Amino acid sequence: MLRWAVTQMQAADIYFGHGTDNSYSEAQVLLAAVLHLDFTQLDQFADARLTQDERAAFAELLEQRIEQRIPAAYLVGQAWFAGLPFLVDERVLVPRSPIAELIARRFTPWLQQAPTRILDLCTGSGCIAIACAYAFPEAEVDALDISIDALSVAEQNIAYHEVEERVIPIESDLYQAIPGQRYDLIVTNPPYVDAEDMADLPAEFSHEPELGLAAGNDGLDLVRTIMREAPEHLNDQGILICEVGNSMLALIAEYPHVPFTWIEFEHGGEGVFMLSKADLVRFQHEF
């Protein structure tokens, strides 16, 4: 059944990139959900036969994946991020940020000590905020988003991971709802897709909320505000971690004198920068 699904998806030339990057992994996600198994268990039962009902359910999911171009994470209602499961649906983006690797590294070497207050801007499903809460068990995390729909999903995930006392979802247009609040770490994966890329995105992206993707002609509409207002919300040794993806080149071109630290990842991904509070203050007039 896995071989058949891989063949069907490869023949259909669908796009991968919402939690998996190949047809085999995508098929595993779908089949594991139908069989109520962890996808890591599939190899243990590779010789088992599927029942007729299981075959039908799997074929139906595969048809939706191919015909409607719905990412597997939405079809099964779950995605993995930083080694943790998260509930997802079409109210939020599918978690896939390379920031997960930074969280696993506890943001070394840029954080001088473990943060006690963390801000996750544009939290979406809450995956970054919740993963940070696991990485820093003494920290409080504010999870902000402008979308009520996204915050509803984040609240479900916060409850699922039982971190209600430390991860606080807040409706906010960027920093608007937290005047005077300061943090040791601001981490954000905001909308950053420019107009040209939005027009060319594969069909799978049409199932994600446009609010979580589009960010003006150059993809930097939100990033400018995030950088300009960050100093008012960072403690003296605080840092900003921000993902801008393909808009990295536009950001470098617009601010050639700003000393962005572009982070290299072992497991793939690019377009994530770090700026210290000192540098944000020094170049605040440019943003």
Side-chain angles (χ1 to χ4, degrees):
M1 293 301 291
L2 278 173
R3 198 281 309 159
W4 172 71
V6 168
T7 298
Q8 295 296 312
M9 284 191 279
Q10 290 182 175
D13 194 28
I14 61 178
Y15 172 82
F16 304 102
H18 291 86
T20 70
D21 61 5
N22 63 83
S23 57
Y24 186 73
S25 296
E26 195 91 343
Q28 285 183 304
V29 169
L30 297 176
L31 185 57
V34 167
L35 302 181
H36 303 286
L37 296 172
D38 186 305
F39 60 84
T40 60
Q41 296 176 299
L42 291 177
D43 286 346
Q44 300 175 37
F45 302 102
D47 294 333
R49 291 181 178 273
L50 273 65
T51 68
Q52 187 172 352
D53 286 346
E54 288 169 342
R55 287 171 178 260
F58 183 51
E60 182 178 353
L61 280 184
L62 187 62
E63 181 180 8
Q64 289 180 281
R65 179 67 186 91
I66 293 172
E67 298 299 325
Q68 300 179 43
R69 294 298 201 262
I70 302 173
Y74 288 149
L75 291 172
V76 305
Q78 185 183 69
W80 287 76
F81 178 81
L84 301 167
F86 291 93
L87 307 172
V88 295
D89 59 33
E90 295 187 12
R91 293 174 291 177
V92 296
L93 300 187
V94 176
R96 53 185 177 272
S97 172
I99 289 173
E101 189 175 315
L102 291 183
I103 297 170
R105 287 157 40 186
R106 293 169 59 88
F107 298 94
T108 57
W110 302 287
L111 277 180
Q112 301 303 308
Q113 57 188 18
T116 58
R117 296 204 73 203
I118 299 171
L119 172 61
D120 174 21
L121 276 181
C122 309
T123 194
S125 64
C127 60
I128 288 176
I130 293 166
C132 283
Y134 275 94
F136 302 104
E138 302 302 317
E140 294 181 357
V141 187
D142 287 343
L144 275 58
D145 206 290
I146 195 172
S147 168
I148 291 293
D149 287 340
L151 287 172
S152 295
V153 177
E155 287 173 354
Q156 288 181 277
N157 281 313
I158 290 167
Y160 177 82
H161 288 280
E162 299 181 344
V163 288
E164 297 99 322
E165 293 184 2
R166 295 196 296 118
V167 180
I168 310 302
I170 302 171
E171 180 188 0
S172 183
D173 184 356
L174 296 182
Y175 304 102
Q176 171 265 326
I178 54 167
Q181 297 297 308
R182 292 182 180 269
Y183 303 86
D184 304 306
L185 168 65
I186 298 174
V187 57
T188 180
N189 179 15
Y192 57 70
V193 183
D194 64 39
E196 183 178 354
D197 282 350
M198 282 296 298
D200 294 335
L201 287 176
E204 280 79 359
F205 288 89
S206 68
H207 295 279
E208 295 192 297
E210 184 175 341
L211 185 64
L213 294 168
N217 287 333
D218 60 4
L220 302 178
D221 280 4
L222 279 74
V223 174
R224 292 185 186 91
T225 302
I226 288 171
M227 294 191 298
R228 183 177 63 252
E229 298 183 10
E232 282 72 50
H233 298 282
L234 281 171
N235 293 322
D236 288 344
Q237 302 302 314
I239 63 170
L240 168 68
I241 300 285
C242 180
E243 180 173 346
V244 294
N246 289 344
S247 295
M248 173 176 63
L249 295 179
L251 188 67
I252 293 170
E254 183 163 348
Y255 305 109
H257 304 299
V258 175
F260 296 106
T261 296
W262 294 101
I263 297 167
E264 297 183 2
F265 296 96
E266 292 181 20
H267 306 296
E270 60 180 3
V272 178
F273 69 80
M274 187 284 298
L275 282 173
S276 67
K277 177 177 180 176
D279 285 332
L280 286 160
V281 170
R282 186 154 59 106
F283 293 94
Q284 192 171 17
H285 64 283
E286 294 196 22
F287 306 138

